Amino acid sequence: MPIHNKVLSNDHFRKHWQMRVRTWFNQPARKIRRRNNRVEKAAKVFPRPIATLKPVVRGSTIRYNMKVRAGRGFTLEELKAAGLTAQYARTIGIAVDTRRVNKTQQSLTLNTQRLKNYQSKLVLFPRKVNAPKKGEATKEEVAKAVQTLKPFTVKSAIAVTCEQTPRKPTEAEKKFSAYATLKAADSKAKTVGIRRKAAEIKAAKAAEK
């Protein structure tokens, strides 16, 4: 026992940690269950794809904006450029996001082309097979239709282009310091008022003489 004003020892040795260990022995069975669920879903939604078409977007903030990923849905502007309405797009397997806004022409053009490519490959089953309407598939196209069982990727929609061929840097580029240039521009912007006032005082003194 400790003497004087000290904490009383209260050791915990019998923790029975074996009773609280998280195991994962059901991992193989879960894999089979997920596959069975996918097969069941594909049969349930046949002949539609198991996933909706998503747009190509970039991550937010400077840290992630160089990466592309699948977005929540297409904007109303993108749907309009592709000749679709939001209500009709939802019925043919296209995701719609009424909150997202196009801030660049590149994203608008890219996703519009994505929608047009999807429409060119789309086989729209008619309500009445014997009397298909405009835009609906014929009997032959319906017979050849295949269900898409994989989600639509976004990487295939990005074309990687290189504007310049590899070359050696020039002497001017080697001597160039981006840090010094930015600091000089920052200092110039901060002191623009002081320098303007000094120039006005100098001009006034020169006029007095």
Side-chain angles (χ1 to χ4, degrees), residues 23-206:
T23 60
W24 202 10
F25 299 132
N26 60 348
Q27 185 181 10
R30 286 286 178 89
K31 181 180 180 180
I32 296 171
R33 188 173 74 176
R34 288 196 300 270
R35 175 173 172 75
N36 292 338
N37 288 342
R38 288 196 299 270
V39 172
E40 185 181 345
K41 180 181 178 182
K44 187 178 180 180
V45 302
F46 183 84
R48 293 175 293 168
I50 60 171
T52 55
L53 182 70
K54 301 293 175 63
V56 179
V57 299
R58 291 190 174 270
S60 58
T61 71
I62 298 175
R63 184 174 183 179
Y64 299 107
N65 64 2
M66 78 291 295
K67 295 183 178 181
V68 294
R69 61 177 180 83
R72 184 185 182 90
F74 290 89
T75 63
L76 301 178
E77 191 177 0
E78 291 166 353
L79 294 171
K80 185 178 180 181
L84 298 169
T85 61
Q87 185 178 4
Y88 176 70
R90 288 188 174 100
T91 63
I92 59 174
I94 298 174
V96 180
D97 186 5
T98 57
R99 297 176 296 180
R100 189 167 66 87
V101 179
N102 291 103
K103 294 186 177 180
T104 62
Q105 183 63 35
Q106 289 83 352
S107 68
L108 176 62
T109 306
L110 178 65
N111 285 318
T112 303
Q113 188 60 40
R114 186 172 170 85
L115 286 169
K116 290 180 179 178
N117 291 341
Y118 177 79
Q119 286 179 278
S120 65
K121 299 176 183 178
L122 181 67
V123 178
L124 192 61
F125 279 42
R127 292 181 181 274
K128 295 181 180 179
V129 181
N130 296 326
K133 295 182 179 179
K134 183 181 178 181
E136 295 179 339
T138 59
K139 283 185 178 181
E140 293 77 13
E141 292 174 337
V142 170
K144 294 179 182 178
V146 180
Q147 185 182 24
T148 303
L149 298 176
K150 293 183 179 180
F152 302 98
T153 57
V154 297
K155 291 184 179 180
S156 60
I158 301 295
V160 180
T161 57
C162 184
E163 296 180 357
Q164 294 183 356
T165 55
R167 61 177 178 80
K168 291 184 178 181
T170 61
E171 291 297 325
E173 290 173 343
K174 290 180 181 178
K175 294 179 181 179
F176 176 75
S177 174
Y179 177 78
T181 305
L182 290 173
K183 291 294 287 185
D186 187 32
S187 176
K188 187 176 181 181
K190 285 182 178 180
T191 59
V192 61
I194 299 172
R195 288 185 284 105
R196 186 188 299 115
K197 188 175 181 180
E200 290 174 357
I201 294 172
K202 186 176 181 181
K205 288 183 179 179

